[in-house]
Amino acid sequence: MHRTVRFALPLLILMQANSAWSQETEAIEKALQHRLIDVDHAWNEVQDFTESRVLPMPEVTTVEAWEEYIEGRRQAALKEVVFRGEAANWRDAKKKVEWLETIDGGPGYKIRKLRYEAIPGLWIPAVLYEPENIEGKVPVVMNVNGHDGDGKVADYKQIRCINQAKRGMLALNVEWLGMGQLRTPGFNHYKSNQIDLCGTSGVALHYLYMTRGLDILLEHPHADPNRVAVAGLSGGGWQTIFISSLDERVTLSNPVAGYSSYVTRAKFISDLGDSEQTPVDLAMVADYNHLTAMRAPRPTLLTFNADDQCCFKADHALAPLMQASQPVFDLYGKGSNLRSHVNEDPGTHNFLLDNRQQFYKMLGDHFYAESDTYSADEIASDDELKTKEELHVEIPEDNLDFHKIATKLMESLPAPHILSIEGRRANLASVLRLEPYQAQAVQSDDLKIPNGSARGVRLKIGSEWTVPATEFTPEGNVKSTVIILADEGRASTAKAIAKSLNESQRVLAIDPFYFGESKISKRDFLYGLLVSSVGKRPLGIQTAQVAAVGEWVKAEHQGPVTVQAIGPRTGLIALTSAALNPELFQTVQITGGFKSLKEIVEQDMTVSQAPELFCFGLMETFDIPELTSLALPCKVSNQ
């Protein structure tokens, strides 16, 4: 009997302790669920942040002033956006093209298969529609396609190419990265940011695959260099404006439902573009308004759809582009060279008959102006369409893709450093595009927990950001303050908070940019891309926010400040903040953090999963061990 009591008493005490722990944790969880900002608050902030940083159009009154200005924008886009890192060597690499079999097309043309290298080891399949009995110099057209899994086999694209060939043009039908034959996991467009992480421009692959295509067309003995056109739908529309603005060889351009101004995109979520459409830093050197006006005075037809269910709907996308570009075309006395067309039938996301015939008319007016027989009416060609098997072009099995390229690039990274510790910190701040902030509490709501106190604190970070926080203070003497952040948001941190409170630590649980209550409510990661395109970095914003919160805690409460991060993403944020502010935090404890940034590529992650991880050039100079050493004397544990 006595033995039973001796065993039952400790068990009873343990049960009571567990019950108390459970009640405390439940109270903490309830306090964490108290909202401090509404669901769209972070979305509204990132809209304003990105829109305000888009490069505005200049006011110019002469052709000379415009050309001086816009040439600077073109060179900046090429040097500071496209050809960064290894991309400069890709640009200068020896070109390779291999011509394969020729197959019958239809009446008046044949189809020649070919493959060519965009960069060494990355082959692009393509087909050239070539008129029979070709004589003299003829127009050439590069036909690009958008996010269509059929790629170069898409019927509306084949019909367009066939009609060009039947009108006497050389029509190149190129496969886009990630579509058609190149539709593989490694070409997922959100994996191109793995290349960015390595300090090389992922968008360069898109640009080079197009410039190589133009090279092939213009090397044809019958190519007329004064009559060079590019056209495409959706992602192909983006390709069209991107290449035909930056490559001055393109004399006529017809982007279809493919883009809008960055200012438009900040407010219209349907227009937020993928990685290649929102390349790092482009918006700070040239908006799509600039790229469109850059076409002046070359013939340009902007086609949009009235009821586009995808993106770039005519009623909001077209007008800003025309308003920015028409005055520039008018400066040259070539106002009529800029045209627009709004498709009503069917009005959806398309490059169908009406839109194609507008393109044929544009070609006729500018490439066949002296012809009495040219017609813009489409030539019926449905019975000449080829199957996927018929248009298949053999490419190497070990063909490179975004992921393979990033894997190769990171082999020698990070590069050896010769800078001092302060020099390395300055370099890290530059990579993160760091903008120091100050935090201030603008709202405080009292909350209830047993054995202590709690409050919800709304922290204003600078003039642009808000960080929601919940502060818990234990009873009795407080040893220190710990800032907790987690990949799953502060609402997931109740157990960690309870543990810290039991160790007499004050806790401030926060949701920095993109996490928890600060998660962007609409198309979140696409705004992450937009932040990078306007010249900032999500990781830099988060890093600065954590540092600002740390400074606020020190001023508010005095005493030591530590950081606890739960998860690899917030772990990296905590680490970069400590590396740049080594005296601010006493310790940084990371649970489940990366041991190396290379894990991001090794795990084949995409920017849609975690936009801050793909900070341009971060892995080029730093890895987790280097960041940890920069944090000293702050002690970092990474378990």
Side-chain angles (χ1 to χ4, degrees), residues 173-242:
N173 182 348
V174 291
E175 199 76 282
W176 191 25
L177 308 174
M179 301 297 146
Q181 284 187 239
L182 300 179
R183 195 179 186 187
T184 64
F187 269 126
N188 180 317
H189 282 193
Y190 299 136
K191 293 181 182 178
S192 67
N193 300 87
Q194 295 177 5
I195 299 171
D196 290 343
L197 177 61
C198 298
T200 291
S201 176
V203 76
L205 296 168
H206 295 274
Y207 187 79
L208 287 169
Y209 114 89
M210 290 188 283
T211 61
R212 302 292 192 250
L214 289 175
D215 291 342
I216 291 166
L217 276 171
L218 290 170
E219 287 166 1
H220 194 286
H222 292 287
D224 183 351
N226 296 313
R227 293 183 289 175
V228 181
V230 180
L233 166 69
S234 192
W238 167 78
Q239 293 168 78
T240 298
I241 193 61
F242 200 65

Side-chain angles (χ1 to χ4, degrees), residues 351-366:
F351 204 160
L352 298 178
L353 179 63
D354 174 48
N355 285 338
R356 290 197 297 266
Q357 291 191 151
Q358 290 293 324
F359 179 43
Y360 304 152
K361 185 177 188 306
M362 191 76 173
L363 291 169
D365 290 347
H366 292 279

Side-chain angles (χ1 to χ4, degrees), residues 9-244:
L9 190 57
L11 179 60
L12 179 61
I13 294 171
L14 180 60
M15 291 174 63
Q16 291 173 338
N18 285 340
S19 176
W21 171 270
S22 177
Q23 291 175 2
E24 184 178 14
T25 303
E26 287 178 7
I28 292 170
E29 288 177 341
K30 185 176 180 180
L32 289 169
Q33 289 167 5
H34 176 75
R35 288 196 70 94
L36 291 159
I37 58 176
D38 65 53
V39 69
D40 287 335
H41 188 93
W43 175 48
N44 292 330
E45 284 187 336
V46 77
Q47 284 183 302
D48 293 341
F49 180 86
T50 51
E51 182 182 15
S52 67
R53 282 167 169 75
V54 177
L55 185 72
M57 285 290 291
E59 293 184 10
V60 292
T61 56
T62 67
V63 168
E64 292 75 21
W66 167 256
E67 290 188 341
E68 181 179 357
Y69 172 80
I70 207 63
E71 182 58 24
R73 297 302 86 212
R74 180 183 286 110
Q75 293 307 315
L78 290 171
K79 181 179 179 181
E80 300 171 25
V81 178
V82 179
F83 294 123
R84 300 168 78 173
E86 185 63 21
N89 294 324
W90 295 339
R91 174 195 57 201
D92 299 331
K94 184 179 179 181
K95 302 169 188 176
K96 289 185 181 180
V97 57
E98 296 179 359
W99 293 93
L100 306 173
E101 66 176 318
T102 299
I103 63 174
D104 291 334
Y109 69 97
K110 57 188 176 183
I111 300 174
R112 300 177 64 189
K113 296 184 179 183
L114 67 145
R115 58 177 175 249
Y116 65 93
E117 283 187 326
I119 70 169
L122 171 51
W123 291 88
I124 306 296
V127 289
L128 178 67
Y129 295 73
E130 189 176 77
E132 292 179 349
N133 305 316
I134 189 170
E135 295 181 358
K137 298 294 184 179
V138 300
V140 299
V141 185
M142 183 168 69
N143 295 275
V144 292
N145 62 273
H147 295 86
D148 188 322
D150 290 334
K152 67 181 184 300
V153 183
D155 55 2
Y156 57 85
K157 192 181 184 194
Q158 289 193 58
I159 289 172
R160 193 167 82 237
C161 293
I162 291 168
N163 267 263
Q164 292 161 20
K166 287 187 173 184
R167 287 172 169 78
M169 307 176 210
L170 292 165
L172 184 65
N173 182 348
V174 291
E175 199 76 282
W176 191 25
L177 308 174
M179 301 297 146
Q181 284 187 239
L182 300 179
R183 195 179 186 187
T184 64
F187 269 126
N188 180 317
H189 282 193
Y190 299 136
K191 293 181 182 178
S192 67
N193 300 87
Q194 295 177 5
I195 299 171
D196 290 343
L197 177 61
C198 298
T200 291
S201 176
V203 76
L205 296 168
H206 295 274
Y207 187 79
L208 287 169
Y209 114 89
M210 290 188 283
T211 61
R212 302 292 192 250
L214 289 175
D215 291 342
I216 291 166
L217 276 171
L218 290 170
E219 287 166 1
H220 194 286
H222 292 287
D224 183 351
N226 296 313
R227 293 183 289 175
V228 181
V230 180
L233 166 69
S234 192
W238 167 78
Q239 293 168 78
T240 298
I241 193 61
F242 200 65
I243 189 66
S244 61

